């Protein structure tokens, strides 16, 4: 996997050397057809998109998700399966079973490990999971693992995955957030920021914060709600396109070098 050698080789874990998007998971393709179609637009600086069928792969292959994942693969977009670690409380066997379903049914390129623990005490357990997922992905070209902490974990987590989500939350918190000092030892493509409730008038400021804090993959949206989405009955702000999608795509742009 790239994270094992990237510090020495300089290889980009995202497959790009500039700021780009990581889509944490749109609504089901039947509910968000425009959103899924936008991911295949040529020239969109997209590092990966997460497929979350039903808080995981579901109990059987979903034909609409199969079609959406196939279109993304054909467009050269990396598709990640959503695995919920439940802050370290989910049984190991369940995680691995879901990983196999995602790979067998949807031919994913890797996984987002959502609600990943951050403490040093949980590191060994998460290392066991990522090591097993590397074996699951051994025949996948460019297999990719993202740890969805949502905040800065202890530094050891950077050694067991390709990327870490070191911020996931509202703009009101992001604009005053501080970056952990240890992240300076790693290049920007190792880190992901997912921010909701970003007003259009503060989009430039949000981009400056991401660059200043050393994030290589972002997703900003003006939509608001609860990141847990369906688990709480509230709206998941990342389930649909931001109102300024065209603007932010143009601002990053395929020709902009970071």
């Amino acid at each position: 996997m790239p994270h094992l050698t990237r510090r020495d080789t300089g290889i980009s874990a995202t497959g790009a050397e500039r700021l780009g998007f990581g889509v944490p998971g749109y609504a089901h393709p039947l509910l968000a057809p425009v959103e899924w179609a936008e991911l295949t637009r040529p020239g969109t600086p997209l590092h990966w998109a997460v497929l979350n069928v039903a808080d995981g792969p579901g109990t059987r292959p979903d034909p609409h998700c199969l079609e959406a994942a196939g279109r993304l693969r054909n467009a050269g977009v990396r598709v990640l399966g959503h695995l919920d670690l439940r802050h370290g409380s989910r049984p190991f066997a369940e995680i691995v079973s879901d990983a196999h379903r995602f790979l067998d049914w949807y031919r994913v390129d890797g996984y987002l490990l959502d609600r990943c623990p951050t403490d040093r005490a949980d590191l060994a357990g998460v290392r066991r999971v990522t090591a097993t997922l590397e074996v699951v992905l051994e025949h996948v070209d460019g297999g990719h693992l993202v740890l969805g902490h949502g905040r800065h974990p202890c530094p050891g987590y950077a050694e067991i995955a390709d990327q870490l989500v070191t911020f996931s939350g509202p703009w009101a918190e992001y604009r005053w957030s501080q970056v952990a000092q240890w992240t300076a030892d790693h290049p920007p493509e190792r880190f992901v920021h997912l921010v909701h409730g970003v007003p259009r008038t503060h989009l430039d400021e949000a981009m400056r914060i991401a660059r200043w804090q050393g994030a290589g993959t972002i997703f900003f949206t003006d939509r608001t709600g609860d990141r847990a989405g369906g688990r709480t009955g509230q709206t998941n702000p990342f389930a649909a396109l931001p109102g300024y999608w065209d603007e932010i795509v143009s601002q990053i742009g395929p020709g902009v070098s970071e």
Side-chain angles (χ1 to χ4, degrees):
M1 304 290 282
H3 65 270
L4 298 178
T5 59
R6 200 177 49 74
R7 180 182 295 177
D8 297 325
T9 65
I11 296 173
S12 169
T14 60
E17 296 179 354
R18 57 183 176 78
L19 200 64
F21 299 115
V23 177
Y26 286 143
H28 190 278
L30 280 178
L31 301 176
V34 174
E35 281 77 0
W36 287 97
E38 276 294 314
L39 296 183
T40 61
R41 183 203 292 188
T44 302
L46 184 63
H47 293 165
W48 41 260
V50 175
L51 179 66
N52 187 3
V53 181
D55 284 335
T59 57
R60 62 181 61 86
D62 183 307
H64 304 288
C65 291
L66 280 168
E67 182 180 3
R71 287 177 178 173
L72 293 181
R73 283 198 310 273
N74 291 338
V77 176
R78 178 183 278 145
V79 180
L80 306 182
H82 179 275
L83 300 175
D84 187 357
L85 298 194
R86 300 176 192 161
H87 305 297
S89 67
R90 192 170 183 207
F92 174 80
E94 284 187 12
I95 299 170
V96 176
S97 177
D98 275 3
H100 279 289
R101 289 192 183 99
F102 265 123
L103 184 60
D104 293 343
W105 295 346
Y106 303 106
R107 295 172 57 193
V108 295
D109 303 293
Y111 304 99
L112 168 68
L113 280 62
D114 200 10
R115 295 201 289 177
C116 185
T118 60
D119 294 338
R120 188 176 304 276
D122 296 303
L123 179 57
V126 178
R127 181 184 288 114
R128 180 190 180 201
V129 171
T130 58
T132 301
L133 295 181
E134 288 181 3
V135 175
V136 173
L137 294 169
E138 63 181 340
H139 298 300
V140 176
D141 185 21
H144 197 73
L145 297 179
V146 180
L147 300 183
H149 306 284
R151 58 192 179 93
H152 288 95
C154 80
Y157 285 92
E159 305 303 325
I160 64 173
D162 298 292
Q163 290 186 289
L164 311 180
V165 180
T166 52
F167 186 92
S168 180
W171 166 244
E173 295 178 10
Y174 187 61
R175 67 184 309 190
W176 306 114
S177 63
Q178 299 291 324
V179 66
Q181 186 174 0
W182 65 263
T183 63
D185 295 332
H186 304 273
E189 57 263 28
R190 299 301 304 279
F191 302 108
V192 183
H193 291 175
L194 310 173
V195 190
H196 57 80
V198 182
R200 184 187 298 268
T201 52
H202 289 277
L203 190 55
D204 288 344
E205 181 183 354
M207 300 282 278
R208 286 196 298 271
I209 292 172
R211 293 186 175 104
W212 177 258
Q213 293 197 6
T217 301
I218 62 166
F219 191 83
F220 296 156
T221 180
D222 50 352
R223 298 182 182 275
T224 60
D226 187 331
R227 175 68 179 93
R231 288 192 290 267
T232 67
Q234 294 181 308
T235 301
N236 181 350
F238 300 126
L241 283 172
Y244 41 64
W245 176 250
D246 287 340
E247 180 179 339
I248 193 171
V249 168
S250 298
Q251 187 169 344
I252 294 179
V256 178
S257 176
E258 291 300 321

